[in-house]
Amino acid sequence: MDSLLENEDLQLIVDFYVDGERQGPGSHEETGKALKLSGIHPSESLKVADIGCGCGSQTLDLAKLTHGKVVAVDLFPEFLEEVKHRADDLGVSDKISTLQCSMEDLPFEEESLDLIWSEGAIYNMGFQKGLQAWNKFLKPGGIIGVSEITWLKDKRPEEIEKYWTGEYSEMYTEEVKREQMKQCGYELLGSFTLSEKSWEKNYYAPMLKRIPDFLSRHKADEQAEALVKAQETEIELYNKYKDYYGYVFYIGRKI
Ligand code: SAH
């Protein structure tokens, strides 16, 4: 999801994304794989926070795959309403609560969480800042699982280098990000690159399908057209340069 538009465009962004099953690349399989790497046993009773949950694809997975309670956190109430509907439909609403607040100002008590999860969202405050700020909420030995856009090669063509460093100031390689995890107080338990399917089939293809409806809801709205254009550019560049970057899941344990 694009973090760079101005405040007044936020409602437009919410409208663009709220019908989507996901607001970033990901899959049920990869959420499950990351959870396995964490070493958490399904029978452990956990207190979990899913930060930047969007409409909650991974929140529901966390509720199904772990024992305990998941707090779904997002800035936008429209997304949290979706999470609630989906949790009802799946019969897991007793395991999920929602919390509307900024990831930069979380109200959790220190050392109160067993697991912090965040898929495709930590970039909104920055990888390192997020990892540092959230560390205190984890119990000693608590687990963090975050997915984050990452360069997959040391050298990149200029066009894509310029595009992504312009979009996000923390574009680094997996090696650098793994090191940053350590510096922020986590032992790295594992990391892996999300599949192309998680971008293409699960994120971009459904997005492209929603565009005509979105544009007809916002006829002659320049901001809406600009948003669509920006997304289309992102997709074109992904198709051209997907070997050079991807989403990587990082799983760590608080030291
Ligand atoms: N985890 C979801 C959503 C990823 S998109 C998925 O993978 O499908 C990023 C999410 O972060 C959006 O839902 C957006 O509303 C949320 N977000 C952006 N800035 C935020 C902030 N400052 N605090 C909390 N959530 C934020």
Side-chain angles (χ1 to χ4, degrees):
M1 214 181 106
D2 203 323
S3 69
L4 296 164
L5 295 160
E6 300 296 325
N7 268 356
E8 59 263 33
D9 298 330
L10 289 176
Q11 274 322 110
L12 207 54
I13 297 180
V14 169
D15 185 54
F16 185 75
Y17 281 100
V18 73
D19 300 333
E21 193 188 323
R22 293 183 175 275
Q23 289 66 45
S27 70
H28 302 302
E29 297 77 26
E30 286 156 338
T31 299
K33 180 175 173 181
L35 208 52
K36 266 212 176 110
L37 280 171
S38 76
I40 283 172
H41 195 272
S43 69
E44 283 178 74
S45 182
L46 302 177
K47 193 162 175 218
V48 184
D50 179 18
I51 302 174
C53 61
C55 295
S57 268
Q58 73 292 311
T59 319
L60 301 172
D61 290 336
L62 291 167
K64 282 188 282 182
L65 298 172
T66 67
H67 190 68
K69 305 275 185 200
V70 186
V71 186
V73 182
D74 206 277
L75 203 50
F76 297 108
E78 293 87 344
F79 293 153
L80 296 174
E81 282 305 310
E82 280 297 312
V83 178
K84 282 188 218 165
H85 289 313
R86 291 182 184 184
D88 277 344
D89 289 348
L90 269 180
V92 290
S93 48
D94 56 326
K95 294 175 86 177
I96 295 177
S97 59
T98 59
L99 174 67
Q100 187 201 345
C101 77
S102 171
M103 60 175 74
E104 303 201 42
D105 192 20
L106 296 168
F108 300 116
E109 279 177 34
E110 291 195 9
E111 301 194 353
S112 64
L113 300 173
D114 298 288
L115 176 61
I116 291 181
W117 209 255
S118 186
E119 293 195 24
I122 197 170
Y123 72 90
N124 284 291
M125 70 183 286
F127 188 68
Q128 291 184 86
K129 199 171 156 204
L131 290 176
Q132 271 161 6
W134 301 346
N135 189 289
K136 62 177 174 294
F137 302 124
L138 283 173
K139 294 176 186 171
I143 301 290
I144 190 159
V146 291
S147 68
E148 160 85 340
I149 193 157
T150 301
W151 290 127
L152 301 178
K153 294 196 175 179
D154 289 334
K155 285 211 175 358
R156 285 83 50 177
E158 196 186 340
E159 184 182 23
I160 198 63
E161 177 87 28
K162 260 197 179 158
Y163 175 80
W164 273 113
T165 48
E167 292 286 315
Y168 184 39
S169 62
E170 289 194 52
M171 280 300 290
Y172 297 117
T173 59
E174 185 170 343
E175 194 186 352
V176 171
K177 289 193 183 279
R178 285 170 67 106
E179 187 54 37
Q180 289 172 338
M181 292 270 299
K182 291 185 201 154
Q183 282 164 9
C184 294
Y186 305 92
E187 171 199 352
L188 203 90
L189 299 177
S191 60
F192 63 90
T193 305
L194 298 195
S195 62
E196 286 172 19
K197 179 184 147 208
S198 290
W199 289 81
E200 292 166 359
K201 182 165 177 283
N202 295 355
Y203 181 49
Y204 284 150
M207 181 195 286
L208 288 172
K209 272 202 192 135
R210 296 197 306 273
I211 285 176
D213 268 357
F214 174 76
L215 287 176
S216 68
R217 283 200 298 278
H218 300 278
K219 277 214 174 73
D221 178 338
E222 279 177 23
Q223 310 268 30
E225 283 162 13
L227 195 155
V228 166
K229 187 92 204 70
Q231 290 298 340
E232 287 172 345
T233 302
E234 187 190 302
I235 295 172
E236 274 164 33
L237 289 171
Y238 178 79
N239 289 332
K240 196 166 167 193
Y241 293 115
K242 60 188 166 194
D243 290 349
Y244 293 91
Y245 64 98
Y247 253 85
V248 174
F249 229 123
Y250 299 88
I251 300 95
R253 181 191 287 121
K254 178 172 173 172
I255 297 165

